[in-house]
Amino acid sequence: MGKKSTNTLVLRIIPYVSILSCLIIWQLIVVLNIVPNTLLASPLQVIKLFIYKLNHTQPDGGLILVHAFVSLKEALIGYVLALLIGIPLGLAMGWFKPIDGLIRPLFEILRPIPPVAWIPLTIFWFGIGLSGKVFIIFLAGLVPVVINSYTGVRMTNPVYIRMARTYGATKWRIFIDVCVPSALPMVFGGLQVALSVSWMTLVAAELIAADSGLGFFITMGQRLLMPDMIILGILMIGLTGVVIGIIVDKVEKRLVAGMWR
Amino acid sequence: MAISKIENKTAVKIALLEFLRSKYILYAISLILFIIFWDISAKMNGRFLPRPWAVLMELINGINEPIAGKILIVHLWYSLKRVFIAYAIAIAIGIPIGLLMGYSKLINAWIKPIFDLFKPMPPIAWISLAILWFGIGETSKVFIIVLGAIVPVILNSMNGIRLIDPSLYHAIRMLGGNSRQEILEVTLPASLPAIFAGLQISLSMAWTTVVAAELMGAREGMGFIIIRGMSVSNPAMIVGGMLVIAVTAWLLSVLMTLLERRICPWKTELEH
Amino acid sequence: MENRTRALKNFKVQCVGISKSFGEGNEKKLILDDINFGVGDEFVVVLGPGQSGKTTLLNLIAGLERPSTGQVFVDGEEVTGPGPDRGLVFQKYTLFPWKTVMGNVEMGLKLSGMSKKERREMASYYIDLVGLKGFENSYPHELSGGMKQRVSIARAYVNKPKVMLLDEPFGQLDAQTRYLMENEIIRIWQAEKRTIIFVTNNIEEAIFLGDRILSLDGKFPGRLKTIYDVDLDRPRDRADTSFLKIRQRITEETMLIL
Amino acid sequence: MSKVSVTGLTKEFGDLTVLKDVSFEVNKGEFLCIVGPTGCGKTTFLNLLAKLIPATKGTIYIDNEEADPKKHNISFVFQEPSSLPWRTVKDNIAYGMQVKKIPPAEMEARLEKVIDLVGLSDCINLYPNEISASMEQRVAIARAFATNPDLLLMDEPYGQLDLKLRFYLEDELIRIWTESKNTVIFITHNIEESVYLADRILVLSNKPTTVKQEVLVDLPRPRNILDPEFSRIRNQVTDLIKWW
């Protein structure tokens, strides 16, 4: 038993050691000039740049948090739109056959198109402003949201439906009382997938055409040959992605706990 | 038993026929309405949206008229080639890493935190760094695609091992299996379906990433085609390119499904 | 203690002073307490309601768990881990989904290094015995619950174990398949006798199958309560008055757990 | 006057006739059991009665009116757990009444009574995954009785339960039924159970299913399974079925 507990202790420490040693190796690679500083910035340089960018707009014309905010805003608007339209649509497709029949073919055409492939057409239609980005994010988020909502309804335990039917519940009533709550966990499962797809697509869109946002920040870093900017941009994107992921997860758990146990 | 099966089958058949009949009509209506709607909106605003037949003509032209020096099929080949090279690399690295992470808690403790750190960063975000490192050629694109494709491979291989029903191990031990036989007869085959599911996600991820990478900078490939369509203001070329991208994505997924049925014929059980 | 050990010596399976608890400190929970019994060449049913530790008891005999105190002997040798001298049939089928019926049944022989031809022959015999001739190349997901459990039984039988351990093997089957399988297990057992320890929570099943019934108390910790001898001729009739009388007696003496 | 009357009920799936010309009547407040051999389409039969699937031919009348789940109170207790997992025990029991739009005051009164009857007062605020399988089945039974059904259909509700538990729940069912005097059709494969519960037993034939015979069970309750008369009826029904 004693051996086991030291083992778990070791297992708990290793992750920190692992990350720390990675950072040290990274720092050493740059300091010892194994990879030239024009290609890679050290972690300390990146942190320095982050602090500098908190209150300086040079060289890209915006504070780092403003870039993050711009990306976040675009992503959230598109994402929420995808939820508002996608969830009811997917749920309805799962239960009402005529709606399924009419929407499904269009959806099947839409589905295999990678969201990033929409970028050129969208820029062509909307330019590089807010509306274009929102549109792309919306499209990217829509597919997983609809699929999960649809599948959720489809997976409703048939006994529940039969039970409600024997009490004389109408089709609409069964949908509201049985199918929707039963689909909820699955719907929420789709939210995370949709979020990561949306976020990735947004970054791609900003990399190609934007005048602000984290993707733009990275592009500027590339143009200015500043690896510390690029790395800071990548880290910020990852971090922001994690933060919204956690928020969605929390909201989701709250809502599910409210309706399901 | 047998009788009730027939009863079910006939019932299902009748229901299905009835259902399909109405469903296909709805599908047809839906598609026709969509094309009419598309055509009318294109007619009204032709500068931004190509009419359906214009897209078709563009595709037919693409068969023998080169775009930027290469015909359409060659562009498609370039994209596919990048995907396959990167995919092979991702599998070769990802599966062993994932399996080791699933098998050994110690290895997992070392690799997992780094993996978790990289996971939320979209592969496309790396493109600028990749261009800085490898230039704008093939290497940087393959690098990006590997980054995109390797995550689901690792994740699924790891979970594939983790989520094996422990009673399968009990069963093999009760039959007299030693630890080597456990790995050979249970661990590997039992994790196969999950690994395969990872490969499927990974392939579609790779395809998305190649398009994105080619959007950023390329002289050939399907991503190049649509970005080219944008810069020469030819919406038919964009939409045509998107169609080819979509059909390829669809074919790749069909291919994987067929492959899966060959490799894991028992998988149907695991789905419910 | 000494006496008891000696008294249990003639049995195929002996459980001596077994107790088992899970967890540590305040979380510690006693699951089985002071279990002593022996099983000869017979069909023994361990009867207990949910949470009486009956599955734990079987796992101890199987060697998948180690007792906290006490020892388990099979043929006079102490059980220290899982092994092919005991054949276990699980409640949840637990077949290898990537193997065919043949592949599953011959698995134990393959592990012991028997040649392909030999093990095919032997496995075929047992597949035939459990009534699955013609399904050798089917995968488990293509079989019904009853058929899966037949495969499980064949898979355990083929190893020629000293004792067969069955853990609520028919618990997941519908009532009619269950009746059928109860008749089948008796048929298989009469064709090739083995020592069987059969765990169930179903009183009717216990009386239909067992030479003896070991009844465990409900609610943790499980304790051995009564041993019933069932002196009825086989095949037994579930509606026979003597059957019903035993049933009534056992029913009255067990706990009701809602 | 009979409460439910079924005439010439027939169901065909394509070329296969599952149910052929079934006719019978159920009196008001009667407890009718239906037993039949394996695969005789008992479930199809129940689904027809509950109007979950349409009949090919024949009629089902309740109180001299064509049966209709939207108009009549038909309740169904399924073999498998059918409590909605996102509702508490109390809300699950109330569900049938909510669909039937019973006024809140009356709903509360009925809820209280039925919860008391099935002995679930201690767990009205628990969720289905927090209670045992047998309690869940009692929730389903409470939900069914709460709507005060014209016809209560029960599909092997105790099929998978332990013997002792089954006896207990059967007694409970008889107690609730005696109090409510609802009309019950109870389907089971278990002959002993049918003789223990029923006023009358309908024995079904093999496919195409028809009513083979009616057996009257005129024994006082609570019944004793060791009673010779009980054995006689049990054997009579067994001989009619003989599925083994």
Side-chain angles (χ1 to χ4, degrees), chain A residues 18 39 97 101-102 125 218 222, chain B residues 19 27 30 48 110 128 133:
Chain A
S18 166
L39 295 186
K97 277 179 193 142
L102 285 177
W125 283 349
I218 291 180
Q222 186 196 336
Chain B
F19 185 37
Y27 284 179
S30 161
F48 288 108
W110 279 103
S128 297
W133 288 349

Side-chain angles (χ1 to χ4, degrees), chain A residues 10-11 14-15 17-19 21-22 38-40 97-98 100-106 109 112-121 123-125 154 199-200 203-204 207-208 218-219 222 225 227 230-231 234-235 237-238 242, chain B residues 19 23 26-27 29-31 34 47-49 105-106 109-111 113-114 117 120-129 131-133 205 207-209 211-212 215-216 226-227 229-230 233-235 238-239 242 245-246 249-250:
Chain A
V10 168
L11 285 180
I14 286 179
V17 180
S18 166
I19 291 201
S21 46
C22 266
T38 49
L39 295 186
L40 189 66
K97 277 179 193 142
D100 186 25
L102 285 177
I103 307 285
R104 179 84 83 81
L106 307 184
I109 295 171
I113 303 175
V116 285
W118 283 96
I119 294 173
L121 197 61
I123 294 172
F124 195 67
W125 283 349
R154 276 309 173 93
W199 190 237
M200 170 178 163
V203 171
L207 282 171
I208 293 167
I218 291 180
T219 318
Q222 186 196 336
L225 298 177
I230 302 179
I231 294 171
I234 296 175
L235 287 176
I237 287 169
V242 170
Chain B
F19 185 37
K23 212 159 96 172
L26 285 174
Y27 284 179
I29 294 172
S30 161
L31 281 177
F34 171 67
R47 209 176 77 73
F48 288 108
L49 192 66
K105 279 193 182 148
L106 204 67
W110 279 103
I111 302 181
I114 302 165
L117 220 61
M121 299 176 201
I124 298 165
W126 287 84
I127 192 117
S128 297
L129 208 55
I131 291 173
L132 205 62
W133 288 349
M205 208 44 207
W207 185 241
T208 303
T209 319
V211 172
L215 286 175
M216 305 299 154
I226 54 176
I227 205 93
M230 184 184 88
S233 290
N234 181 357
I238 305 180
V239 176
M242 284 169 71
I245 291 170
W250 179 75

Side-chain angles (χ1 to χ4, degrees), chain A residues 130-254:
Chain A
L130 179 71
S131 51
K133 304 266 166 42
V134 168
F135 180 70
I136 295 176
I137 310 263
F138 167 73
L139 283 176
L142 190 68
V143 173
V145 167
V146 169
I147 290 179
N148 275 49
S149 309
Y150 176 87
T151 321
V153 169
R154 276 309 173 93
M155 280 176 19
T156 307
N157 187 342
V159 176
Y160 301 156
I161 296 172
R162 279 163 62 201
M163 186 273 290
R165 274 181 68 194
T166 50
Y167 285 113
T170 56
K171 200 159 169 70
W172 174 253
R173 180 103 210 220
I174 297 175
F175 179 62
I176 296 297
D177 282 353
V178 178
C179 297
V180 171
S182 155
L184 273 190
M186 193 79 194
V187 172
F188 286 124
L191 297 191
Q192 287 287 353
V193 183
L195 185 70
S196 76
V197 178
S198 299
W199 190 237
M200 170 178 163
T201 314
L202 173 74
V203 171
E206 285 184 347
L207 282 171
I208 293 167
D211 46 22
S212 57
L214 291 172
F216 167 76
F217 185 73
I218 291 180
T219 318
M220 288 307 288
Q222 186 196 336
R223 288 211 192 120
L224 298 170
L225 298 177
M226 284 175 64
D228 48 350
M229 259 179 92
I230 302 179
I231 294 171
L232 178 60
I234 296 175
L235 287 176
M236 286 298 291
I237 287 169
L239 212 67
T240 320
V242 170
V243 169
I244 28 183
I246 292 172
I247 293 171
V248 168
D249 189 56
K250 283 267 154 65
V251 172
E252 171 188 325
K253 288 226 171 83
R254 266 270 170 86

Side-chain angles (χ1 to χ4, degrees), chain C residues 175-176 201 247-248 251 254, chain D residues 38 162 164 189 192 225-226:
Chain C
Q176 283 168 28
N201 63 358
R247 203 186 76 176
Q248 193 171 34
T251 309
T254 51
Chain D
T38 316
D162 183 41
K164 180 138 188 166
H189 70 277
E192 182 184 277
I225 45 171
L226 291 173

